[in-house]
Amino acid sequence: MDKYDKGRSEEERLTTANIPITALPKDFGWLLIGGHTKISKIVEPAINLLKDEEAIVLAGSGASSSKVVSVADIIRKEMKNTYQIVKRGHRRIDDYWDPVEEGLDPLVVTRHIPTTHILLSINEIDTSESDVVENNKKKSNRRQRTKKPQNSNTPRDNNNRTENSSKNSNQTREARNSTSHSSKKNSQQQQRDARNSTDNSSKNGDQNRESRHSPPSKNKSDARKTSDGSSKVGLQNQESPRTTDSAIKTKTQSKSEPEN
């Protein structure tokens, strides 16, 4: 675009004549929100205009479309039971570019800017043409609230459910406590068994030590005594022949004395 200079611009502006809503009432307020409009300063005048005219149209384009939606939401929170129609569209802007060099034709650049129109009405209106269906949802929700639920739970059923849930919770607690007690008992029993095994092993070790350092038994001493006694008896037996020889001599002497 170096060879062109920007010329004039033809812009389609938002007015009450080009509102894309067919269900417009005869009397309504008009509020155009621009880029420099502050929401805090425009909410109160919009509410007063809606109360006076019983209907108001909020309009904006480009970046101002989000401001239009936020202002409408604030008004509906302040004034309940209002009907809303939201229409989205676009406006046209034609930019003309003039050539700098000879032999070039002028250019026309067309831009489409998104727009938002919101109609708020205190009186009931037909909202079927709205691009955002909110009032219909509210009506259906109200109807559902008025209808009695088919599968409604009685207070007794709710009480039974709460009692069953409490019983189940108590049973789970008891099971946890029993498992914890059993585990504690098993651990204590294992500790006792380990202590008893260590005590028995220490006793056996002490007994083995005592048996090693104790004096010889009485049986061995008796055996030694008997061996000594047997030797003495043998000696007595060896001495016995001498006594027999002396006895024979005395007998022979007694026989020889009478002959003399």
Side-chain angles (χ1 to χ4, degrees), residues 11-80:
E11 182 178 353
E12 183 184 1
R13 296 185 179 181
L14 299 178
T15 60
T16 57
N18 57 6
I19 297 173
I21 298 172
T22 58
L24 283 172
K26 292 181 180 180
D27 297 327
F28 62 90
W30 169 257
L31 185 60
L32 182 62
I33 299 172
H36 299 285
T37 305
K38 292 184 179 180
I39 296 174
S40 60
K41 292 182 179 181
I42 203 172
V43 170
E44 188 175 355
I47 292 172
N48 293 328
L49 187 60
L50 178 59
K51 289 179 179 178
D52 294 337
E53 299 292 338
E54 295 183 355
I56 188 174
V57 176
L58 305 175
S61 64
S64 301
S65 297
S66 61
K67 291 183 180 181
V68 174
V69 175
S70 59
V71 171
D73 291 337
I74 294 169
I75 292 171
R76 294 186 69 190
K77 287 179 181 178
E78 293 292 332
M79 297 182 67
K80 296 181 179 179

Side-chain angles (χ1 to χ4, degrees), residues 147-158 161:
K147 290 181 180 180
K148 292 182 179 180
Q150 295 179 357
N151 295 323
S152 61
N153 294 322
T154 60
R156 291 181 180 178
D157 295 333
N158 293 324
R161 288 180 181 178

Side-chain angles (χ1 to χ4, degrees), residues 16-210:
T16 57
N18 57 6
I19 297 173
I21 298 172
T22 58
L24 283 172
K26 292 181 180 180
D27 297 327
F28 62 90
W30 169 257
L31 185 60
L32 182 62
I33 299 172
H36 299 285
T37 305
K38 292 184 179 180
I39 296 174
S40 60
K41 292 182 179 181
I42 203 172
V43 170
E44 188 175 355
I47 292 172
N48 293 328
L49 187 60
L50 178 59
K51 289 179 179 178
D52 294 337
E53 299 292 338
E54 295 183 355
I56 188 174
V57 176
L58 305 175
S61 64
S64 301
S65 297
S66 61
K67 291 183 180 181
V68 174
V69 175
S70 59
V71 171
D73 291 337
I74 294 169
I75 292 171
R76 294 186 69 190
K77 287 179 181 178
E78 293 292 332
M79 297 182 67
K80 296 181 179 179
N81 298 324
T82 57
Y83 296 88
Q84 175 179 286
I85 296 175
V86 180
K87 292 295 289 183
R88 303 187 187 277
H90 64 274
R91 65 188 184 96
R92 181 175 177 177
I93 299 174
D94 293 331
D95 296 328
Y96 292 90
W97 295 82
D98 299 326
V100 176
E101 297 178 358
E102 294 181 358
L104 296 176
D105 296 329
L107 297 177
V108 180
V109 178
T110 302
R111 293 180 293 158
H112 295 280
I113 307 301
T115 60
T116 302
H117 291 79
I118 297 176
L119 171 63
L120 297 176
S121 177
I122 296 173
N123 300 320
E124 186 177 358
I125 56 174
D126 186 10
T127 60
S128 60
E129 61 175 330
S130 178
D131 295 336
V132 179
V133 181
E134 293 182 355
N135 290 329
N136 292 331
K137 289 182 179 179
K138 288 185 177 180
K139 288 180 180 179
S140 63
N141 291 329
R142 289 175 185 174
R143 290 175 183 175
Q144 288 178 359
R145 289 177 183 176
T146 55
K147 290 181 180 180
K148 292 182 179 180
Q150 295 179 357
N151 295 323
S152 61
N153 294 322
T154 60
R156 291 181 180 178
D157 295 333
N158 293 324
N159 292 325
N160 292 325
R161 288 180 181 178
T162 54
E163 289 178 357
N164 291 325
S165 63
S166 62
K167 287 180 181 179
N168 292 325
S169 63
N170 291 325
Q171 290 177 358
T172 53
R173 288 177 183 174
E174 290 176 357
R176 290 177 182 175
N177 292 325
S178 63
T179 53
S180 63
H181 285 305
S182 63
S183 62
K184 287 181 180 179
K185 288 181 180 179
N186 292 325
S187 63
Q188 290 177 358
Q189 187 65 30
Q190 290 177 358
Q191 290 178 359
R192 289 176 183 174
D193 295 335
R195 289 177 183 175
N196 292 326
S197 63
T198 52
D199 293 336
N200 292 325
S201 62
S202 62
K203 287 180 181 180
N204 292 325
D206 294 333
Q207 289 177 0
N208 292 325
R209 290 176 183 174
E210 289 177 357

